[in-house]
């Protein structure tokens, strides 16, 4: 039955009025039908854009975790750096922080000048300090480094006394509020406090990890949460997330935020922060029924072991326990590279008393990194590269093992801010609205008390007073997603062209949609709806065939040095986040400089481990040219900044440096 | 490959449709277990370029649901039904001129616009009425705030550009 034919008057209608109302009915149907189709297509585009963001985010995380292998490799073989700089090994394995007993001693040399206009905290902290901070941060003030250090110092002291899992009780008159990832979005935290009230003795909160990275106000969020914790240690519960990890912060922006906001004391802040992270509890258990942890579980999750484990030995997800001395693998690798034996000091600091066992480490990784999925069983989490995917049967098994009823976790962005799965046994709660882009998703929080069903509250922070029309919001998200996808594509230009040409025997410059999609998926390793995205990425001819070179038209990578080859540039661009992290770790005093010698050796190691096949000679040349002062040192931030993607159609600014 | 076009037949079309449908389905298959929430089926079907009315959508859902509805639609059931829909080119989108005439029916005095109240009345009282959310959404893009009316010719033109 077609609703399109307005001429069809039907039969037997006699009065003009009837005819008119039938016409109106049909017209309304046409418009409604059209609008609904249009509106759902908009929403589908929005969903596609989110899929793009998410795939790239997880692929990035996988890259991050692969770095851990590289670090182990580096430490085992790069003796040269160790001889010159045992600090690196110490930095990675032990705490270089001197143990101060007194807060005053710790901040003795940090003065707050009279000219400082920001908030001044008073120890011992009270609820007035919470109000003070919230007001100050609303006005975009920055808390002085001295107070930051003091808060971190005190927080570490109090956290040390907390067990791995905090047990809380609720009652009908005392509900608890659970929030998920905030990722440095201060507006969301302020909105939650506005809607739900500040934390207090009668208003308990659990913050389920990932307070930092990506957003611009990670330090402000930490300060509000830590101060609230110090004032109400029994009512403000903090669980560690996978981003409460100094290695993740190096890549995802928090380290940069601190070094920018605190130019003088940033290093000191970063140092103590590393420690504070390790003392964050692993999870919370509510009413002996509900387990609240950041990521998820695995088949082998052992809550008893996790209750006992020395959690502060988990420095970073990128630093798995190293193998034993005399481990056959280590010796083989050493022989291969002709490296000198590692100095004694390094070995002893890597002793087992300072690390978790491999099994313990894996247990914690599972808690921080796993994701629930519909498929039964437990599988390695291949998107992120760490933790696992766990099915509804695993959830039932583990919950039953410990007589628990429900798992509340975060870690994944959900369009509605929350999602229920596994027959109501698993809830995902995510509190950073507009996570990928303005309009990408809502944030949410849960309120619950024993005996009552959990209640969900959603919100979405918006800069404007009235929401833009849906199509404008979707266009913005879509453009953003396509933009970062195109950056991925250009970073793999040589490999992609190679793959295309293999399929294009007749050298016509065209491929079928199927062939194009196949090449894209295989080369980029991103599982995306390529056919649906194709109209935004390539041009097609009248037959529906793809002009595969058209993706590379309006975009190129800026070459820092003109003569450098494309493949070199692409590789460096692709790995620039990894390189940045490695450089940051080597540069333990955060001076921003590494020696040309270190750069060369670093690159050679990286090259061999990642199997990159870039000529050492080319790297040497590049290093030479990047040493602008000719003083034997490279400002690697400048080096990395030099690699950025230029979108030719950008009239306003050059594109930024990627996701971090 | 481009030179193989002549040898293409219905098989290739079906295969391409299958891939397209699978792609669209996967985006909404959050748990990666080849099922989607039944409430997302409308979005999936429409994202594939079809424009069923609400009534037609309900019929389609009935075809792909389990005998005892579970709230989820399985891909195995969805694929053949959706392939037929695409092959038969069912539920084609509304052509621009038909859409324009529909607006003109609602504007018999040929002013070239509809007042906000009029649009609300027609959309929420006639046909397959809009929900409040749908109405607000449409108004946010369609209404010219100065005149508080929808100049439908311009509105249609804008929407058409946005879709292409």
């Amino acid at each position: 039955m077609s609703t399109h034919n307005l001429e069809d008057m039907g039969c037997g209608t006699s009065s003009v009025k009837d005819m008119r109302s039938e016409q109106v009915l049909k017209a309304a149907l046409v418009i409604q039908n059209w609008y609904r189709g249009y509106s759902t297509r908009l929403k589908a585009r929005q969903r596609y854009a989110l899929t793009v963001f998410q795939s790239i985010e997880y692929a990035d995380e996988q890259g991050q975790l692969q770095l851990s292998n590289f670090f182990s490799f580096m430490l085992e073989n790069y003796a040269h750096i160790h001889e010159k700089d045992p600090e690196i090994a110490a930095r990675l394995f032990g705490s270089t922080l001197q143990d101060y007993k007194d807060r005053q001693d710790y901040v003795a040399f940090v003065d707050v000048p009279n000219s400082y206009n920001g908030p001044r905290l008073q120890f011992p902290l009270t609820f007035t300090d919470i109000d003070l901070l919230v007001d100050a941060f609303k006005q975009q003030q920055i808390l002085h480094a001295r107070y930051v250090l003091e808060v971190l110092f005190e927080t570490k002291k109090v956290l040390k006394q907390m067990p791995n899992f905090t047990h809380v009780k609720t009652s009908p008159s005392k509900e608890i509020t659970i929030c998920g990832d905030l990722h440095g979005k201060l507006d969301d935290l302020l909105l939650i406090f506005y809607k739900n009230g500040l934390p207090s003795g009668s208003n308990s909160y659990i913050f389920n990890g990932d307070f930092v990275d990506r957003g611009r106000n990670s330090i402000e969020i930490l300060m509000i949460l830590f101060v609230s914790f110090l004032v109400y240690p029994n009512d403000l519960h903090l669980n560690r997330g996978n981003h409460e990890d100094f290695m993740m912060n190096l890549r995802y922006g928090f380290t940069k935020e601190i070094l920018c906001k605190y130019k003088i004391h940033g290093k000191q802040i970063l140092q103590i922060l590393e420690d504070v992270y390790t003392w964050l509890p692993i999870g919370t258990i509510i009413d002996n029924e509900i387990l609240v942890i950041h990521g998820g579980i695995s088949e082998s999750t052992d809550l008893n072991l996790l209750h006992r484990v020395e959690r502060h030995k988990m420095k970073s997800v990128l630093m798995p326990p190293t193998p034993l001395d005399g481990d056959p693998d280590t010796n083989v690798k050493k022989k291969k590279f002709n490296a000198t034996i590692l100095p004694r000091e390094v070995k002893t600091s890597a002793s087992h008393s300072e690390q978790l066992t491999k099994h313990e480490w894996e247990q914690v990784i599972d808690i921080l990194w796993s994701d629930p999925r519909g498929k039964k069983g437990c599988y390695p989490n291949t998107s992120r590269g760490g933790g696992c995917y766990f099915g509804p049967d695993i959830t039932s098994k583990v919950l039953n093992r410990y007589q628990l009823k429900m798992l509340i976790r975060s870690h994944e962005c959900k369009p509605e801010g929350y999602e229920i799965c596994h027959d109501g046994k698993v809830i995902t709660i995510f509190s950073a609205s507009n996570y990928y882009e303005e309009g990408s998703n809502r944030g949410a929080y849960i309120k619950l008390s024993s005996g009552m069903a959990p209640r969900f509250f959603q919100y979405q922070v918006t800069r404007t007073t009235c929401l833009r029309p849906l199509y404008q919001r979707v266009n913005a998200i879509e453009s953003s997603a396509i933009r970062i996808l195109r950056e991925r594509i250009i970073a793999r230009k040589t490999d992609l062209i190679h793959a295309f040409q293999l399929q294009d025997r007749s050298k016509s410059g065209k491929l079928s949609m199927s062939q194009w999609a196949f090449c894209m998926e295989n080369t980029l390793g991103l599982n995306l709806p390529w056919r649906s995205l194709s109209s935004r990425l390539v041009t097609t001819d009248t037959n529906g065939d793809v002009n595969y070179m058209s993706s590379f038209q309006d975009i190129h990578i800026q070459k820092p040095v003109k003569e450098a080859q494309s493949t070199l540039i692409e590789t460096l661009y692709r790995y620039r986040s990894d390189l940045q992290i490695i450089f940051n770790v080597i540069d333990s005093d955060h001076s921003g400089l590494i020696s040309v010698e270190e750069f060369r050796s670093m690159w050679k190691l990286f090259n061999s481990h990642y199997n990159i096949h870039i000529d050492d000679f080319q790297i040497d040349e590049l290093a030479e040219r990047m040493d602008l002062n000719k003083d034997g040192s490279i400002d690697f931030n400048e080096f990395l900044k030099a690699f950025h993607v230029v979108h030719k159609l950008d009239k306003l600014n050059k594109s930024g440096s990627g996701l971090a | 490959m481009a030179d193989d076009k002549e040898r293409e037949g219905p098989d290739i079309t079906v295969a391409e449709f299958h891939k397209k449908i699978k792609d669209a389905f996967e985006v909404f298959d959050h748990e990666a277990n080849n099922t989607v929430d039944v409430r997302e089926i409308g979005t999936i079907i429409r994202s594939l370029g079809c424009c069923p009315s609400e009534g037609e959508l309900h019929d389609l859902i009935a075809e792909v649901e389990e005998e005892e509805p579970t709230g989820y639609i399985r891909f195995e059931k969805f694929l053949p039904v959706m392939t037929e829909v695409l092959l038969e080119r069912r539920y084609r989108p509304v052509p621009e001129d038909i859409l324009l005439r529909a607006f003109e029916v609602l504007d018999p005095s040929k002013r070239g616009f509809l007042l906000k109240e009029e649009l609300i009345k027609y959309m929420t009282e006639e046909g397959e009425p809009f929900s409040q959310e749908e109405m607000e959404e449409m108004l946010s893009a369609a209404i010219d705030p100065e005149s508080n009316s929808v100049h439908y010719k311009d509105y249609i033109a804008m929407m058409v550009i946005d879709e292409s």
Side-chain angles (χ1 to χ4, degrees), chain A residues 1 4 6-7 20 23-25 27-41 43-45 47-48 51 373-375 421 469-471 475 503 505-506 513-515 527 529-531 543 545, chain B residues 1-3 5 16 19 23-24 27-28 30-31 33 40 43 46-47 51-54 56 92 94 98-99 101-103 105-106 108 122-123 126-130 134 137-138 140-141 155 158-159 162-163:
Chain A
M1 174 201 130
H4 298 172
L6 292 172
E7 258 71 70
R20 168 75 190 154
Q23 266 187 311
V24 165
L25 172 71
L29 278 172
V30 165
I31 297 173
Q32 286 156 346
N33 181 340
W34 162 78
Y35 186 77
R36 283 180 171 128
Y38 166 72
S39 155
T40 42
R41 273 191 298 281
K43 289 179 183 142
R45 277 165 59 193
R47 192 63 69 89
Y48 285 154
T51 308
R373 285 291 180 267
K375 195 166 157 189
C421 63
L470 183 62
Y471 78 93
N475 278 340
Q503 302 254 341
R505 308 278 169 75
S506 57
M513 180 61 72
S514 236
Q515 289 169 314
N527 180 13
W530 293 105
R531 286 164 185 76
N543 290 328
D545 288 326
Chain B
M1 293 186 239
D3 29 305
K5 250 329 191 189
E16 266 307 297
K19 290 257 173 67
D23 265 357
V27 172
F28 294 89
H30 306 300
E31 306 218 344
N33 61 352
E40 313 246 53
T43 313
R46 287 173 173 140
S47 76
C51 286
S53 67
E54 290 292 286
E56 288 162 337
R92 293 276 85 208
V94 180
I98 302 283
L99 187 56
R101 281 201 286 174
F103 274 102
V105 165
L106 302 181
Y122 287 128
M123 293 295 102
E126 300 280 350
E128 292 170 332
F130 273 174
E134 283 174 314
E137 222 177 75
M138 184 182 194
S140 70
Y155 176 56
M158 182 172 72
M159 295 293 114
D162 188 53
E163 286 246 83

Side-chain angles (χ1 to χ4, degrees), chain A residues 70-340:
Chain A
F70 177 70
F71 276 117
S72 309
F73 182 77
M74 177 178 90
L75 288 171
E76 286 161 25
N77 294 288
Y78 200 17
H80 179 58
I81 278 191
H82 290 157
E83 274 166 3
K84 264 191 15 185
D85 202 351
E87 256 188 54
I88 294 175
R91 179 186 162 81
L92 293 179
F93 285 115
S95 172
T96 48
L97 200 60
Q98 203 182 331
D99 246 335
Y100 286 96
K101 285 281 181 292
D102 200 66
R103 188 187 76 245
Q104 313 287 23
D105 290 335
Y106 179 63
V107 294
F109 296 108
V110 186
D111 272 325
V112 184
N114 290 334
S115 56
Y116 169 69
N117 277 331
R120 289 169 187 263
L121 300 177
Q122 281 208 313
F123 287 81
L125 298 168
T126 62
F127 66 88
T128 29
D129 294 292
I130 304 178
D131 280 324
L132 198 62
L133 277 187
V134 169
D135 283 334
F137 292 154
K138 273 190 191 150
Q139 295 165 53
Q140 277 134 36
Q141 291 175 350
I142 295 188
L143 183 65
H144 194 276
R146 185 202 171 89
Y147 299 119
V148 174
L149 290 166
E150 286 188 293
V151 169
L152 291 174
F153 185 88
E154 289 296 318
T155 304
K156 176 180 163 181
K157 228 166 70 178
V158 180
L159 281 178
K160 259 174 133 158
Q161 297 161 28
M162 297 283 171
N164 292 349
F165 287 86
T166 314
H167 288 254
V168 302
K169 289 230 161 294
T170 63
S171 67
S173 55
K174 194 175 183 205
E175 282 182 306
I176 191 161
T177 306
I178 305 170
C179 302
D181 295 27
L182 286 168
H183 280 300
K185 320 278 248 81
L186 182 61
D187 287 343
D188 287 89
L189 182 59
L190 295 178
L191 187 53
I192 295 172
F193 285 160
Y194 177 73
K195 286 170 70 108
N196 197 51
L198 288 173
S200 73
S202 53
N203 195 14
S204 298
Y205 277 88
I206 299 176
F207 286 91
N208 202 15
D210 278 11
F211 322 122
V212 300
D213 275 335
R214 299 182 160 265
R216 295 174 310 145
N217 296 102
S218 299
I219 189 65
E220 283 76 29
I221 289 195
L222 269 194
M223 285 298 107
I224 293 179
L225 292 180
F226 286 162
V227 167
S228 306
F229 168 69
L230 289 171
V231 178
Y232 301 109
N234 297 320
D235 292 293
L236 192 305
H237 308 281
L238 301 167
N239 294 338
R240 191 175 185 182
N242 64 313
H243 278 260
E244 275 72 57
D245 178 326
F246 76 97
M247 292 282 198
M248 295 294 277
N249 296 162
L250 280 169
R251 181 188 275 242
Y252 289 102
F254 187 29
T255 309
K256 204 161 130 184
E257 181 188 324
I258 295 200
L259 292 173
C260 267
K261 288 180 177 165
Y262 298 101
K263 293 193 164 49
I264 305 173
H265 299 285
K267 300 175 215 166
Q268 202 178 355
I269 293 176
L270 288 172
Q271 232 181 3
I272 188 177
L273 197 51
E274 281 176 35
D275 259 5
V276 174
Y277 283 156
T278 63
W279 284 107
L280 286 167
I282 296 173
T284 315
I285 297 179
I286 305 176
D287 296 327
N288 277 326
E289 299 188 321
I290 303 178
L291 176 63
V292 186
I293 45 178
H294 178 72
I297 51 177
S298 78
E299 202 162 25
S300 55
T301 290
D302 181 349
L303 280 186
N304 293 323
L305 178 144
L306 285 165
H307 267 79
R308 288 189 318 255
V309 108
E310 289 178 86
R311 68 180 190 268
H312 66 285
K313 288 182 180 171
M314 176 75 166
K315 285 232 129 221
S316 161
V317 70
L318 283 188
M319 286 157 31
T322 51
L324 284 163
D325 301 354
D327 180 73
D329 281 319
T330 323
N331 289 332
V332 166
K333 280 180 184 159
K334 284 203 182 112
K335 283 209 185 102
K336 205 169 153 198
F337 282 90
N338 250 347
T340 56

Side-chain angles (χ1 to χ4, degrees), chain A residues 320-437:
Chain A
T322 51
L324 284 163
D325 301 354
D327 180 73
D329 281 319
T330 323
N331 289 332
V332 166
K333 280 180 184 159
K334 284 203 182 112
K335 283 209 185 102
K336 205 169 153 198
F337 282 90
N338 250 347
T340 56
I341 308 290
L342 293 172
R344 275 246 111 207
E345 307 85 81
V346 174
K347 280 229 179 98
T348 47
S349 70
S351 72
H352 284 281
S353 61
E354 304 247 334
Q355 301 182 79
L356 295 174
T357 65
K358 187 159 184 284
H359 179 63
E360 287 169 338
W361 189 82
E362 277 167 4
Q363 288 274 322
V364 179
I365 292 282
D366 285 340
I367 296 289
L368 297 179
W369 285 78
S370 300
D371 292 313
R373 285 291 180 267
K375 195 166 157 189
K376 285 192 178 161
C378 191
Y379 306 91
N381 189 327
T382 45
S383 304
R384 298 197 200 248
C388 66
Y389 289 131
F390 61 100
D393 52 331
I394 304 293
T395 299
S396 297
K397 203 159 95 177
V398 173
L399 289 180
N400 286 339
R401 201 186 284 161
Y402 300 103
Q403 286 115 43
L404 297 166
K405 296 220 178 97
M406 198 194 293
L407 170 65
I408 297 182
R409 44 87 65 176
S410 305
H411 197 41
E412 283 182 293
C413 176
K414 298 291 176 191
E416 293 300 315
Y418 73 96
E419 193 173 271
I420 307 177
C421 63
H422 292 191
D423 291 319
K425 296 210 181 95
V426 175
I427 298 178
T428 301
I429 185 74
F430 194 85
S431 302
S433 67
N434 306 326
Y435 178 57
Y436 291 119
E437 182 59 72

